[in-house]
Amino acid sequence: MRELTRRDMLATAAVAGGVLTSASVAMAQTGDQALQPSRAPGIGGNDPAPHNAIRERQNPDMLNPPATDSGTTPNLRFSFADAHMRQTNGGWTRQVTQRELGISKTIAGVQMRLNAGSVRELHWHKQAEWAYMLYGSARITAIDAQGRNFVDDVGVADLWYFPGGIPHSIQGLGPDGCEFLLVFDDGDFDEDDTFLLSDWFKHTPPEVLGKNFGVPASLVAHTPDPSELYIFKAPVPAALGKDKLLGAAPVPQTFSHRMMAQEPLRMKGGTVRITDSSVFPASKNIAAALVEVEPGGLRELHWHPNTDEWQYYISGQARMGVFAASGQARTFDYQAGDVGYVPFAMGHYVENTGTTTLRFLEMFKSSYFADVSLNQWLALTPPELLNVHLKLDQQVTNALNKNKIPIRPA
Ligand code: MN
Ligand code: MN
């Protein structure tokens, strides 16, 4: 810490000398400790007052926006690291909703950790729930309105989807439970406001419960308080047998999906897996793409013609530039555990700015995935018409691709 402070002071002294030296600009560009709000010599200045240097280093495109950024595009980034953590004896959870990221009206996200054996209590909610397993494995259960049942074990990169109103549970398996991302088709969702099994028991007269189950009221008068359940400790369950659906018909469309079993679109610079209701029929109101971009690669300039995009960054580092029409554009930086958002129809790109593979999810409140490629659009526009617009060099028009290539290499 002392060393960092000394380097900060040296950089500050260099700038205080009157001239922002090229050395300090270079340090800024390489993400050195002395990152200063000066994207080029003679532009901006240093920041001599106390400031949050750690945060600024995580958001270099906020501190030194590209010269092409302009206007008042709203905030399109929120980190789970900045969200309240709710902890219980079985694990933890935190959420990024419209209350945290004001613009995210269509989708809300929740991270949850269940220790081995721990259970997310049997419950339901109005919103549809889509999930991606980030770590470990879990057993999930549900039934539908026709009394058909569903039980499955899911591991890393597996998905599940429970339609709104369908009751379900999640339990962490051995050896170390699980961590997963939940995505809901409503930005106003609140994980602390779901219909809990124990809560309903607590708020129904025991005589009514007794009559409902055909047992004496005294047998159902002392169930645990909801504060003791929600996410609670329990033994790791036995292995899932072949008899998992014994005595019940299975749901006609499975609520789970192995995303990594899908053959991805492969191209120089990365891969894309698209999972919407065409390959995961139960997932009627959430479409997703898992995107992997190699260092320096680019998720190409594009937009979505159907709805907003909600993103979750799984690993690596990225920056996203968003074009909001009317001369407005803004650039944001992301890393693991961050949420990004693109309002409906806004043009954008995502660039891998790190040294490892960038992996992120694109999520849509829709039954289908759709994007429009800038490159493909221009390739499929009559050349003369295109030429009177941008007066592009022949080399550019020759390079256009009539086939969509979602990722471009470094
Ligand atoms: Mn749920
Ligand atoms: Mn997109």
Side-chain angles (χ1 to χ4, degrees):
M1 195 62 211
R2 180 169 296 166
E3 173 61 13
L4 302 188
T5 307
R6 193 180 68 82
R7 288 161 73 185
D8 266 340
M9 287 173 67
L10 284 173
T12 304
V15 173
V19 182
L20 188 64
T21 65
S22 59
S24 62
V25 170
M27 286 164 90
Q29 286 166 347
T30 54
D32 190 90
Q33 297 300 326
L35 194 58
Q36 300 291 349
S38 173
R39 67 170 172 260
I43 307 287
N46 69 335
D47 183 359
H51 57 278
N52 192 336
I54 291 171
R55 236 166 142 64
E56 287 171 353
R57 276 196 302 282
Q58 289 180 351
N59 295 284
D61 290 288
M62 199 71 75
L63 191 71
N64 287 303
T68 45
D69 274 15
S70 171
T72 52
T73 307
N75 179 44
L76 301 175
R77 173 191 175 277
F78 197 94
S79 179
F80 271 100
D82 288 326
H84 168 72
M85 182 68 92
R86 179 177 176 184
Q87 301 178 4
T88 75
N89 68 8
W92 54 256
T93 186
R94 53 185 173 180
Q95 54 185 342
V96 175
T97 70
Q98 196 179 333
R99 297 176 293 285
E100 285 76 26
L101 179 59
I103 199 154
S104 62
K105 291 186 174 63
T106 61
I107 287 184
V110 167
Q111 277 180 343
M112 193 174 287
R113 168 79 166 123
L114 299 177
N115 301 329
S118 290
V119 178
R120 168 64 173 93
E121 181 180 353
L122 286 158
H123 71 284
W124 73 99
H125 32 74
K126 299 170 192 169
Q127 298 80 2
E129 170 177 320
W130 182 100
Y132 179 94
M133 187 62 76
L134 294 163
Y135 169 84
S137 58
R139 179 159 306 163
I140 51 178
T141 74
I143 70 156
D144 71 7
Q146 285 74 44
R148 295 171 295 196
N149 125 311
F150 170 82
V151 184
D152 195 18
D153 287 353
V154 287
V156 172
D158 289 346
L159 313 180
W160 70 76
Y161 183 91
F162 298 128
I166 292 297
H168 53 279
S169 70
I170 311 158
Q171 183 170 24
L173 298 176
D176 190 31
C178 58
E179 185 179 337
F180 48 90
L181 173 75
L182 297 173
V183 171
F184 300 89
D185 62 348
D186 177 2
D188 202 30
F189 175 82
D190 187 353
E191 173 60 26
D192 295 342
D193 186 22
T194 63
F195 297 90
L196 300 177
L197 175 66
S198 61
D199 202 15
W200 202 9
F201 267 65
K202 213 69 199 170
H203 296 281
T204 305
E207 299 72 31
V208 173
L209 286 173
K211 193 179 287 182
N212 186 70
F213 295 111
V215 297
S218 58
L219 292 182
V220 284
H222 305 287
T223 53
D225 191 81
S227 63
E228 298 170 37
L229 298 183
Y230 178 59
I231 292 175
F232 63 97
K233 217 168 147 175
V236 175
L240 194 56
K242 282 198 165 62
D243 59 347
K244 62 180 180 175
L245 301 175
L246 198 66
V251 292
Q253 294 175 335
T254 179
F255 290 143
S256 59
H257 179 79
R258 320 279 171 212
M259 200 175 198
M260 295 313 277
Q262 282 181 236
E263 190 53 34
L265 303 168
R266 286 182 202 281
M267 62 222 90
K268 203 167 179 238
T271 66
V272 177
R273 286 176 176 81
I274 294 168
T275 305
D276 61 15
S277 60
S278 68
V279 294
F280 183 17
S283 189
K284 288 189 170 57
N285 213 27
I286 294 280
L290 175 63
V291 182
E292 295 174 307
V293 185
E294 294 311 316
L298 183 77
R299 172 74 175 92
E300 67 163 353
L301 290 160
H302 70 280
W303 70 94
H304 304 275
N306 49 348
T307 185
D308 301 6
E309 173 175 343
W310 189 95
Q311 302 167 335
Y312 180 79
Y313 288 83
I314 299 170
S315 59
Q317 281 185 19
R319 69 168 181 169
M320 176 166 70
V322 177
F323 167 59
S326 309
Q328 303 204 60
R330 194 167 167 192
T331 309
F332 299 85
D333 300 285
Y334 302 91
Q335 56 184 294
D338 288 351
V339 171
Y341 204 82
V342 186
F344 179 36
M346 288 189 185
H348 54 285
Y349 65 85
V350 178
E351 188 176 19
N352 184 341
T353 52
T355 54
T356 58
T357 302
L358 166 68
R359 196 169 283 110
F360 70 100
L361 288 163
E362 303 180 0
M363 311 288 316
F364 307 89
K365 182 180 176 175
S366 175
S367 62
Y368 65 95
F369 175 92
D371 66 348
V372 179
S373 157
L374 172 67
N375 193 323
Q376 188 178 37
W377 178 37
L378 300 187
L380 296 175
T381 297
E384 299 74 20
L385 181 60
L386 182 57
N387 190 41
V388 295
H389 284 82
L390 297 177
K391 318 222 179 312
L392 295 171
D393 189 282
Q394 188 68 36
Q395 212 182 323
V396 181
T397 43
N398 290 348
L400 294 173
N401 269 96
K402 287 179 179 150
N403 296 318
K404 191 184 290 180
I405 305 175
I407 299 168
R408 292 286 168 164

